[in-house]
Each structure stands twice: as C-alpha cells, then as structure tokens.
Amino acid sequence: SKWPVSSITVLPGFGVLHLKSMSSMCGIDTIAISDTTPGRQAWKEIVSKAKYKYKRLAFPDDNGANCVFVNGVVLHPSKEDYPESFKVWETLECKKIALNNSEFSKADGSLTCNSILIC
C-alpha cells in the first residue's frame, strides 16, 4: 500500500464513539486530537507507530477536535457546540469554517459523519 496503516486503540469506558470522534487531520501534517485521557493515549500510539512526524493540536473536548480538512479548508465545530475547543480552532492559521452540529450530535454524529470524501 502507498499509505501505511496502523491500528490505534480507543480506550473503552470514556464515551468516545471511535477514533475519528476525537481526532482528525486538520492540515497536511497536523492532527487535531483531544487532550483527554483517551486522546492522550491515542496520541502516544500515533507517535510511536507513525511513519511520518505529525504536529499535535490539542483540544479540551473529545468531539471538539473532530473536523474535516478539504481543499486547504478546515470545517470545524462552532463556538456554540464546543466553546473551549473553539478557542483552540481560533489559533490555527489557515482558512476555517465553523459549522453548527448541535442537532446531529444528539445522535452521536460528528462533522466527519456528515461528510463523504472523494479522492
């Protein structure tokens, strides 16, 4: 395969649906990931298994780190959805669009659940 693949464990018992809920690519070399217990554990695994070196952008909320990076633009949760995580998104220097996801999140849906990526 052109792209290396490694499994990353999501700690059970913390309410995290899956890895993509608490971590997403938010740039070519940057991963948005929660700074919670499961997020920190996943980051340790990513660092130890990754073939490439990634920067970490840490978020106080698991789902606050969920985003879609497409065509150089980051679609991320709104201030209304995750006020503390929104402050972190404001520090990222790139084109960004904040999207309200409050209704979809009631069914455990995140921004990545609302997207279809076509390569």
Side-chain angles (χ1 to χ4, degrees):
S1 170
K2 182 179 177 180
W3 306 105
V5 176
S6 299
S7 63
I8 303 296
T9 304
V10 175
L11 293 177
F14 287 90
V16 176
L17 188 58
H18 48 74
L19 182 63
K20 197 72 173 159
S21 298
M22 66 174 180
S23 65
S24 304
M25 294 300 299
C26 64
I28 293 172
D29 63 350
T30 307
I31 297 175
I33 191 164
S34 70
D35 193 27
T36 61
T37 299
R40 288 188 297 273
Q41 178 61 36
W43 179 252
K44 286 179 190 175
E45 280 192 57
I46 291 168
V47 169
S48 72
K49 294 179 179 181
K51 182 176 179 181
Y52 305 102
K53 185 170 175 68
Y54 294 100
K55 297 174 193 166
R56 176 178 179 243
L57 189 60
F59 290 82
D61 307 291
D62 287 321
N63 290 325
N66 184 264
C67 68
V68 176
F69 176 64
V70 61
N71 295 334
V73 179
V74 178
L75 310 175
H76 65 85
S78 69
K79 184 176 186 177
E80 293 75 26
D81 290 333
Y82 299 100
E84 293 305 310
S85 287
F86 186 80
K87 293 175 187 175
V88 179
W89 286 117
E90 288 180 309
T91 68
L92 189 63
E93 294 184 17
C94 68
K95 185 170 180 175
K96 303 177 291 287
I97 300 173
L99 300 172
N100 186 298
N101 195 51
S102 58
E103 287 302 310
F104 200 65
S105 66
K106 291 176 184 175
D108 290 330
S110 56
L111 292 175
T112 52
C113 297
N114 289 318
S115 63
I116 298 173
L117 300 181
I118 301 171
C119 299

mmCIF file of all heavy atoms in Angstrom, residues 17-18 20-21 63-64 66 77 81-82 100-115:
data_model
loop_
_atom_site.group_PDB
_atom_site.id
_atom_site.type_symbol
_atom_site.label_atom_id
_atom_site.label_comp_id
_atom_site.label_asym_id
_atom_site.label_seq_id
_atom_site.Cartn_x
_atom_site.Cartn_y
_atom_site.Cartn_z
ATOM 1 N N LEU A 17 -16.946 7.488 20.849
ATOM 2 C CA LEU A 17 -17.535 6.545 19.908
ATOM 3 C C LEU A 17 -16.469 5.811 19.098
ATOM 4 O O LEU A 17 -16.472 4.595 19.007
ATOM 5 C CB LEU A 17 -18.500 7.282 18.980
ATOM 6 C CG LEU A 17 -19.344 6.433 18.046
ATOM 7 C CD1 LEU A 17 -20.187 5.432 18.825
ATOM 8 C CD2 LEU A 17 -20.228 7.324 17.188
ATOM 9 N N HIS A 18 -15.540 6.561 18.509
ATOM 10 C CA HIS A 18 -14.444 5.966 17.754
ATOM 11 C C HIS A 18 -13.321 6.980 17.591
ATOM 12 O O HIS A 18 -13.473 8.146 17.950
ATOM 13 C CB HIS A 18 -14.903 5.413 16.403
ATOM 14 C CG HIS A 18 -15.754 6.351 15.600
ATOM 15 N ND1 HIS A 18 -15.264 7.449 14.953
ATOM 16 C CD2 HIS A 18 -17.078 6.330 15.356
ATOM 17 C CE1 HIS A 18 -16.238 8.073 14.338
ATOM 18 N NE2 HIS A 18 -17.360 7.427 14.569
ATOM 19 N N LYS A 20 -12.066 8.637 15.154
ATOM 20 C CA LYS A 20 -12.369 9.828 14.353
ATOM 21 C C LYS A 20 -13.196 10.854 15.140
ATOM 22 O O LYS A 20 -13.191 12.028 14.815
ATOM 23 C CB LYS A 20 -13.115 9.395 13.087
ATOM 24 C CG LYS A 20 -13.136 10.426 12.021
ATOM 25 C CD LYS A 20 -11.781 10.566 11.386
ATOM 26 C CE LYS A 20 -11.876 11.488 10.196
ATOM 27 N NZ LYS A 20 -10.618 12.060 9.822
ATOM 28 N N SER A 21 -13.886 10.411 16.184
ATOM 29 C CA SER A 21 -14.656 11.349 17.011
ATOM 30 C C SER A 21 -13.746 12.319 17.747
ATOM 31 O O SER A 21 -14.122 13.461 18.004
ATOM 32 C CB SER A 21 -15.491 10.602 18.053
ATOM 33 O OG SER A 21 -16.414 9.761 17.444
ATOM 34 N N ASN A 63 -15.055 15.615 21.099
ATOM 35 C CA ASN A 63 -15.684 15.932 19.818
ATOM 36 C C ASN A 63 -15.324 17.307 19.289
ATOM 37 O O ASN A 63 -15.552 17.602 18.117
ATOM 38 C CB ASN A 63 -17.199 15.780 19.917
ATOM 39 C CG ASN A 63 -17.615 14.330 20.043
ATOM 40 O OD1 ASN A 63 -16.996 13.447 19.463
ATOM 41 N ND2 ASN A 63 -18.659 14.080 20.809
ATOM 42 N N GLY A 64 -14.752 18.143 20.130
ATOM 43 C CA GLY A 64 -14.305 19.463 19.681
ATOM 44 C C GLY A 64 -13.143 19.376 18.713
ATOM 45 O O GLY A 64 -12.874 20.304 17.957
ATOM 46 N N ASN A 66 -12.964 17.082 16.322
ATOM 47 C CA ASN A 66 -13.439 16.486 15.082
ATOM 48 C C ASN A 66 -13.576 17.561 14.010
ATOM 49 O O ASN A 66 -14.165 18.614 14.252
ATOM 50 C CB ASN A 66 -14.781 15.797 15.324
ATOM 51 C CG ASN A 66 -15.284 15.085 14.098
ATOM 52 O OD1 ASN A 66 -16.086 15.646 13.363
ATOM 53 N ND2 ASN A 66 -14.801 13.886 13.859
ATOM 54 N N PRO A 77 -16.120 22.370 14.471
ATOM 55 C CA PRO A 77 -17.293 22.673 15.301
ATOM 56 C C PRO A 77 -17.383 24.160 15.671
ATOM 57 O O PRO A 77 -16.364 24.830 15.840
ATOM 58 C CB PRO A 77 -17.076 21.825 16.558
ATOM 59 C CG PRO A 77 -16.138 20.751 16.140
ATOM 60 C CD PRO A 77 -15.266 21.364 15.094
ATOM 61 N N ASP A 81 -21.241 24.861 19.802
ATOM 62 C CA ASP A 81 -21.105 23.436 20.096
ATOM 63 C C ASP A 81 -20.058 23.161 21.166
ATOM 64 O O ASP A 81 -20.304 22.394 22.097
ATOM 65 C CB ASP A 81 -20.736 22.655 18.827
ATOM 66 C CG ASP A 81 -21.870 22.572 17.823
ATOM 67 O OD1 ASP A 81 -23.043 22.633 18.237
ATOM 68 O OD2 ASP A 81 -21.578 22.442 16.624
ATOM 69 N N TYR A 82 -18.879 23.748 21.016
ATOM 70 C CA TYR A 82 -17.755 23.499 21.941
ATOM 71 C C TYR A 82 -16.983 24.798 22.166
ATOM 72 O O TYR A 82 -15.966 25.047 21.512
ATOM 73 C CB TYR A 82 -16.823 22.411 21.375
ATOM 74 C CG TYR A 82 -17.525 21.097 21.188
ATOM 75 C CD1 TYR A 82 -17.984 20.699 19.938
ATOM 76 C CD2 TYR A 82 -17.765 20.264 22.274
ATOM 77 C CE1 TYR A 82 -18.667 19.509 19.773
ATOM 78 C CE2 TYR A 82 -18.446 19.072 22.119
ATOM 79 C CZ TYR A 82 -18.891 18.699 20.859
ATOM 80 O OH TYR A 82 -19.567 17.525 20.703
ATOM 81 N N ASN A 100 -22.231 24.637 12.851
ATOM 82 C CA ASN A 100 -23.026 24.179 13.982
ATOM 83 C C ASN A 100 -23.481 22.751 13.714
ATOM 84 O O ASN A 100 -24.040 22.458 12.664
ATOM 85 C CB ASN A 100 -24.226 25.102 14.193
ATOM 86 C CG ASN A 100 -24.996 24.741 15.438
ATOM 87 O OD1 ASN A 100 -25.533 23.644 15.546
ATOM 88 N ND2 ASN A 100 -25.043 25.661 16.379
ATOM 89 N N ASN A 101 -23.230 21.888 14.664
ATOM 90 C CA ASN A 101 -23.551 20.474 14.510
ATOM 91 C C ASN A 101 -24.417 19.968 15.658
ATOM 92 O O ASN A 101 -24.511 18.781 15.902
ATOM 93 C CB ASN A 101 -22.234 19.677 14.434
ATOM 94 C CG ASN A 101 -22.429 18.281 13.935
ATOM 95 O OD1 ASN A 101 -23.050 18.064 12.908
ATOM 96 N ND2 ASN A 101 -21.912 17.316 14.680
ATOM 97 N N SER A 102 -25.067 20.883 16.368
ATOM 98 C CA SER A 102 -25.765 20.517 17.602
ATOM 99 C C SER A 102 -26.889 19.503 17.400
ATOM 100 O O SER A 102 -27.047 18.588 18.206
ATOM 101 C CB SER A 102 -26.301 21.766 18.310
ATOM 102 O OG SER A 102 -27.176 22.471 17.456
ATOM 103 N N GLU A 103 -27.645 19.628 16.350
ATOM 104 C CA GLU A 103 -28.745 18.679 16.131
ATOM 105 C C GLU A 103 -28.230 17.282 15.797
ATOM 106 O O GLU A 103 -28.706 16.295 16.325
ATOM 107 C CB GLU A 103 -29.686 19.181 15.029
ATOM 108 C CG GLU A 103 -30.561 20.337 15.452
ATOM 109 C CD GLU A 103 -31.436 20.020 16.670
ATOM 110 O OE1 GLU A 103 -32.123 18.974 16.655
ATOM 111 O OE2 GLU A 103 -31.421 20.808 17.623
ATOM 112 N N PHE A 104 -27.246 17.214 14.919
ATOM 113 C CA PHE A 104 -26.707 15.916 14.526
ATOM 114 C C PHE A 104 -25.968 15.244 15.686
ATOM 115 O O PHE A 104 -25.971 14.021 15.816
ATOM 116 C CB PHE A 104 -25.785 16.080 13.317
ATOM 117 C CG PHE A 104 -25.558 14.815 12.562
ATOM 118 C CD1 PHE A 104 -26.598 14.182 11.897
ATOM 119 C CD2 PHE A 104 -24.305 14.245 12.518
ATOM 120 C CE1 PHE A 104 -26.392 13.006 11.196
ATOM 121 C CE2 PHE A 104 -24.085 13.063 11.816
ATOM 122 C CZ PHE A 104 -25.136 12.449 11.157
ATOM 123 N N SER A 105 -25.348 16.048 16.553
ATOM 124 C CA SER A 105 -24.595 15.478 17.676
ATOM 125 C C SER A 105 -25.508 14.810 18.708
ATOM 126 O O SER A 105 -25.049 13.970 19.476
ATOM 127 C CB SER A 105 -23.735 16.552 18.354
ATOM 128 O OG SER A 105 -24.545 17.519 18.976
ATOM 129 N N LYS A 106 -26.789 15.125 18.686
ATOM 130 C CA LYS A 106 -27.735 14.465 19.592
ATOM 131 C C LYS A 106 -27.818 12.971 19.310
ATOM 132 O O LYS A 106 -28.195 12.182 20.161
ATOM 133 C CB LYS A 106 -29.121 15.106 19.481
ATOM 134 C CG LYS A 106 -29.175 16.510 20.037
ATOM 135 C CD LYS A 106 -30.537 17.128 19.824
ATOM 136 C CE LYS A 106 -30.558 18.569 20.301
ATOM 137 N NZ LYS A 106 -31.847 19.222 20.004
ATOM 138 N N ALA A 107 -27.461 12.578 18.092
ATOM 139 C CA ALA A 107 -27.464 11.163 17.708
ATOM 140 C C ALA A 107 -26.022 10.648 17.588
ATOM 141 O O ALA A 107 -25.740 9.752 16.814
ATOM 142 C CB ALA A 107 -28.194 10.991 16.385
ATOM 143 N N ASP A 108 -25.113 11.257 18.366
ATOM 144 C CA ASP A 108 -23.688 10.901 18.353
ATOM 145 C C ASP A 108 -23.019 11.170 17.015
ATOM 146 O O ASP A 108 -21.994 10.576 16.692
ATOM 147 C CB ASP A 108 -23.458 9.426 18.754
ATOM 148 C CG ASP A 108 -23.743 9.176 20.221
ATOM 149 O OD1 ASP A 108 -23.545 10.118 21.017
ATOM 150 O OD2 ASP A 108 -24.155 8.059 20.561
ATOM 151 N N GLY A 109 -23.562 12.048 16.224
ATOM 152 C CA GLY A 109 -22.968 12.374 14.933
ATOM 153 C C GLY A 109 -21.982 13.521 15.051
ATOM 154 O O GLY A 109 -22.211 14.482 15.769
ATOM 155 N N SER A 110 -20.877 13.411 14.345
ATOM 156 C CA SER A 110 -19.877 14.478 14.319
ATOM 157 C C SER A 110 -19.748 14.991 12.890
ATOM 158 O O SER A 110 -20.391 14.487 11.970
ATOM 159 C CB SER A 110 -18.538 13.957 14.843
ATOM 160 O OG SER A 110 -18.133 12.833 14.092
ATOM 161 N N LEU A 111 -18.918 16.006 12.687
ATOM 162 C CA LEU A 111 -18.781 16.582 11.354
ATOM 163 C C LEU A 111 -18.311 15.552 10.331
ATOM 164 O O LEU A 111 -18.763 15.552 9.190
ATOM 165 C CB LEU A 111 -17.816 17.773 11.380
ATOM 166 C CG LEU A 111 -18.311 19.000 12.135
ATOM 167 C CD1 LEU A 111 -17.221 20.058 12.192
ATOM 168 C CD2 LEU A 111 -19.565 19.562 11.493
ATOM 169 N N THR A 112 -17.424 14.667 10.741
ATOM 170 C CA THR A 112 -16.945 13.654 9.791
ATOM 171 C C THR A 112 -18.049 12.668 9.414
ATOM 172 O O THR A 112 -18.005 12.073 8.347
ATOM 173 C CB THR A 112 -15.734 12.895 10.339
ATOM 174 O OG1 THR A 112 -16.030 12.392 11.641
ATOM 175 C CG2 THR A 112 -14.505 13.787 10.405
ATOM 176 N N CYS A 113 -19.043 12.519 10.278
ATOM 177 C CA CYS A 113 -20.185 11.647 9.945
ATOM 178 C C CYS A 113 -21.069 12.284 8.874
ATOM 179 O O CYS A 113 -21.818 11.594 8.201
ATOM 180 C CB CYS A 113 -21.041 11.388 11.175
ATOM 181 S SG CYS A 113 -20.199 10.505 12.501
ATOM 182 N N ASN A 114 -20.963 13.582 8.727
ATOM 183 C CA ASN A 114 -21.773 14.325 7.753
ATOM 184 C C ASN A 114 -21.087 14.486 6.403
ATOM 185 O O ASN A 114 -21.556 15.244 5.568
ATOM 186 C CB ASN A 114 -22.075 15.744 8.273
ATOM 187 C CG ASN A 114 -23.039 15.745 9.403
ATOM 188 O OD1 ASN A 114 -24.020 15.019 9.374
ATOM 189 N ND2 ASN A 114 -22.795 16.566 10.404
ATOM 190 N N SER A 115 -19.958 13.847 6.210
ATOM 191 C CA SER A 115 -19.192 14.114 5.002
ATOM 192 C C SER A 115 -18.876 12.838 4.228
ATOM 193 O O SER A 115 -18.783 11.758 4.797
ATOM 194 C CB SER A 115 -17.894 14.834 5.360
ATOM 195 O OG SER A 115 -17.098 13.999 6.183
#
